[in-house]
Amino acid sequence: MCGIIGYTGKLAAAPVLIEGLKRLEYRGYDSAGLAVVADEHMYQVKSVGKVAQLEAVAGQQPELKKLAGCGIAHTRWATHGAPSTPNAHPHLDESGRFAIVHNGIIENHQELRRHLRTKGYTFRSETDSEVIAYLIADAYEGDLLSATAAALEQLSGTYGLAVVSLLNPDEIVVARKGSPIVI
Ligand code: GLU
């Protein structure tokens, strides 16, 4: 059972997210990752194994210790695709402007992938979750909440979801169906 945490505020986001993931470690997981939107940049760190491993990889980007911003993080319990770094969350859309973390299963992900491939998109992971970032990017017309809602309308399955975007740097959009979210 995966864990999700999001943070927005004045503190450096990455250390808060990593501390949050540590508190969720009891849930069991195979990999972990985080994304932070700060200074007009999408920072992403992922790792197979424990949160301590993620923390070590994040340490290679020292600016992450200081950057205040908006971020999301995830511990993954793989259901679709091997436990691997490319399959760890967050997943970004092709342009790298949208990042999502997802708990649950997207039952119609293959159909959605096929549809998005016909529009020219290419994918980077084997997960059912990645398609959500692409659907949000595809629906985006300036409003992250509306784009996320449009993406969710196309999904069958369950989700706890958190979304950030370079284009809306102060926002985290969250949604749930069949999974809990606490704000
Ligand atoms: N189904 C997704 C995956 O395999 C999410 C798994 C989870 O809830 O951690 O990446």
Side-chain angles (χ1 to χ4, degrees):
M1 198 191 345
C2 90
I4 287 176
I5 177 154
Y7 172 77
T8 183
K10 291 187 176 158
L11 299 177
V16 175
L17 295 171
I18 288 170
E19 175 56 30
L21 290 184
K22 285 181 178 168
R23 292 191 199 179
L24 293 169
E25 280 195 291
Y26 70 93
R27 295 162 72 94
Y29 63 100
D30 52 59
S31 53
L34 63 86
V36 170
V37 175
D39 283 355
E40 298 178 17
H41 189 77
M42 176 76 76
Y43 294 84
Q44 187 194 27
V45 187
K46 301 194 202 191
S47 162
V48 172
K50 294 291 169 195
V51 174
Q53 179 65 21
L54 178 75
E55 195 170 16
V57 179
Q60 294 164 15
Q61 296 186 59
E63 65 273 32
L64 276 177
K65 283 215 169 85
K66 293 177 261 168
L67 284 173
C70 215
I72 54 177
H74 184 267
T75 47
R76 177 177 187 235
W77 184 268
T79 66
H80 293 64
S84 68
T85 304
N87 288 339
H89 300 216
H91 290 290
L92 271 53
D93 76 302
E94 200 171 57
S95 74
R97 293 175 302 166
F98 299 87
I100 65 103
V101 290
H102 166 233
N103 164 245
I105 291 177
I106 304 306
E107 287 156 10
N108 60 340
H109 70 103
Q110 282 176 331
E111 183 189 325
L112 292 167
R113 268 175 187 258
R114 273 196 296 275
H115 174 64
L116 287 163
R117 282 200 180 102
T118 65
K119 293 185 154 197
Y121 292 109
T122 54
F123 293 89
R124 301 186 189 93
S125 86
E126 302 160 334
T127 67
D128 53 328
S129 309
E130 184 181 21
V131 73
I132 303 171
Y134 284 65
L135 290 172
I136 292 169
D138 195 59
Y140 187 80
E141 289 177 348
D143 183 64
L144 188 59
L145 180 60
S146 305
T148 305
L152 295 180
E153 272 177 23
Q154 301 174 65
L155 302 182
S156 304
T158 56
Y159 47 81
L161 180 74
V163 186
V164 291
S165 170
L166 265 182
L167 305 174
N168 302 76
D170 301 325
E171 286 179 37
I172 304 175
V173 172
V174 298
R176 63 174 288 266
K177 180 180 173 191
S179 301
I181 290 268
V182 178
I183 298 178

